Amino acid sequence: MAASLGIADEERRCAFSVAGRPEIDALREMFEEERDMGNKGSREWDIRCDLAAGYRLIAHFGMDHLIYAHLSARLPGGPRFLLNPYGMMFDEITASSLVVVDPERHAIEDEDESKINSAGFKIHSAIYMNRDDAQCVIHTHTLAGMAVAAQDQGLLPLNQKSMAFYGGIAYHEYEGVAFDLGERERLVRDLGDRDLMILKHHGLLTVGRTVSEAFLNMYHLEHSCRIQIAATQGGQKITLPSDDVVAHTAAQSKHNRLNQSPRPWAALKRRLDRISPDYAT
C-alpha cells in the first residue's frame, strides 16, 4: 500500500484541482492500491473498521440523526480522509462502504455511488487542513446537544463528567447551514487546539488522535448535555461546585487521560462483535 503521493502524482493532483471536478478514471488508477479492500491487514483497513465501529456505536447509543451528522477519520500518507456515503443510516455503515475524500476534491469515487454530505465535507476538511493532530472528527445533532447549544451559558459543570471538560470546550456561532467554504476559517479559529466544540444552535463536535478518543469525547460530552437538560427541566434550583473544585476535577481527568484508555474502546468493539459484527466487512 502506497504511503504517500509521489511528485508526479502530486502534480497530477494539482492539475485536477485547478481544472475542477477530478477525472474519475485517472483518480481511480492513482488510488487503486489504497482502495484494495482485500488487504485486510493494512493500516487503512484498521482505520476503516474503527470508523465503521464509531458509526454503529453512535447509532447504538441514540446519538444518530437519520442520515445526517457524520464521523470521519484521516488516512495515512496525505490529507485524505474517510466519510460516510450520504444516504446511509449509521447502523448500515461498514468498513468497505466508507468513502475516500480529499480536502479539495470531494469524493474520489463515482458520484452516483458515493455522494457525500456537502456540509459535512466542509466541517471535516476544515479541521484536517488545520489540525495535524486530528485523526478523527465526530459531529452530531442530538436532542440534548442541540438543546445545550441553544442555551446562552453553554455547558455547566453540573457533574464530574462535565467538570472534566472545564476550560476545554470551544464555541462557534451559528452562520447558517455549513455550505459556505468561508466558514471553514472561522470554525478552525474558534476550535483552536481544543478537542470539543459546541456549535451554537447546531450541535456537538469532537476531535481525537484516534477514533476511540474522539468517540469517548463525544460520548461523555453528550452525557454532560443530557445531565444538564435533565437537571434544569424540572424548574428546581441547581447548585454549582466552586471554581477550585471544578478546576481540580478537570486536572484529575486530564492526568488520568480517561478518554485515551484503550479499555473502553476494546469493550465497545467486543459488544459490536456480538450484536453487529458486519461493521468490519
Side-chain angles (χ1 to χ4, degrees):
M1 178 175 170
S4 61
L5 298 178
I7 294 175
D9 287 336
E10 181 64 18
E11 290 175 349
R12 291 167 66 196
R13 185 193 74 79
C14 294
F16 291 137
S17 297
V18 172
R21 178 167 177 82
E23 297 177 21
I24 295 300
D25 291 341
L27 283 170
R28 183 179 290 112
E29 179 182 350
M30 186 188 303
F31 292 105
E32 181 177 358
E33 186 175 358
E34 284 94 332
R35 295 178 58 219
D36 180 8
M37 289 298 101
N39 187 6
K40 296 297 195 291
S42 70
R43 176 62 180 142
E44 177 173 327
W45 183 254
D46 291 341
I47 296 171
R48 283 178 173 272
C49 288
D50 272 354
L51 187 59
Y55 273 101
R56 296 294 182 98
L57 290 166
I58 288 288
H60 177 77
F61 289 108
M63 293 187 281
D64 55 341
H65 176 207
L66 299 179
I67 63 171
Y68 308 105
H70 14 78
L71 294 74
S72 67
R74 189 196 299 268
L75 287 172
R80 299 168 304 134
F81 59 94
L82 296 168
L83 196 64
N84 58 311
Y86 193 32
M88 292 183 70
M89 301 290 283
F90 281 19
D91 60 2
E92 296 177 311
I93 298 293
T94 64
S96 57
S97 70
L98 294 162
V99 180
V100 180
V101 180
D102 182 277
E104 298 296 343
R105 285 197 313 266
H106 286 241
I108 307 173
E109 311 265 349
D110 289 320
E111 185 172 351
D112 60 345
E113 296 177 357
S114 60
K115 185 175 177 60
I116 59 173
N117 183 302
S118 180
F121 162 78
K122 291 175 177 61
I123 291 172
H124 292 259
S125 63
I127 296 171
Y128 290 126
M129 293 169 69
N130 291 275
R131 285 277 300 268
D132 291 339
D133 63 327
Q135 300 300 315
C136 179
V137 178
I138 299 178
H139 172 49
T140 62
H141 301 150
T142 63
L143 181 63
M146 291 189 292
V148 172
Q151 295 180 348
D152 183 64
Q153 77 281 350
L155 188 68
L156 297 170
L158 296 176
N159 182 273
Q160 63 182 5
K161 284 181 179 290
S162 49
M163 291 182 214
F165 301 137
Y166 178 72
I169 297 181
Y171 293 86
H172 177 64
E173 292 296 329
Y174 188 64
E175 299 185 22
V177 180
F179 292 151
D180 181 8
L181 280 174
E183 188 179 356
R184 295 199 298 189
E185 180 180 348
R186 295 181 290 277
L187 187 146
V188 296
R189 177 201 64 201
D190 292 339
L191 179 63
D193 61 357
R194 294 172 178 171
D195 293 340
L196 300 99
M197 173 178 274
I198 293 179
L199 304 169
K200 300 294 287 184
H201 311 289
H202 188 172
L204 307 178
L205 183 144
T206 60
V207 174
R209 282 81 189 158
T210 61
V211 175
S212 168
E213 184 181 1
F215 176 83
L216 291 172
N217 280 338
M218 181 59 74
Y219 181 88
H220 293 303
L221 179 59
E222 168 66 16
H223 268 233
S224 297
C225 291
R226 293 183 186 185
I227 290 168
Q228 182 161 320
I229 297 305
T232 57
Q233 68 181 358
Q236 299 297 317
K237 181 179 179 180
I238 59 173
T239 61
L240 296 176
S242 68
D243 290 344
D244 288 343
V245 168
V246 174
H248 175 61
T249 305
Q252 288 177 314
S253 300
K254 185 175 182 180
H255 175 74
N256 291 328
R257 301 187 173 202
L258 298 178
N259 288 352
Q260 297 178 25
S261 169
R263 291 181 179 179
W265 187 244
L268 287 166
K269 290 182 73 174
R270 289 197 304 271
R271 172 178 284 182
L272 280 182
D273 289 339
R274 293 191 303 271
I275 67 174
S276 190
D278 65 316
Y279 78 92
T281 60

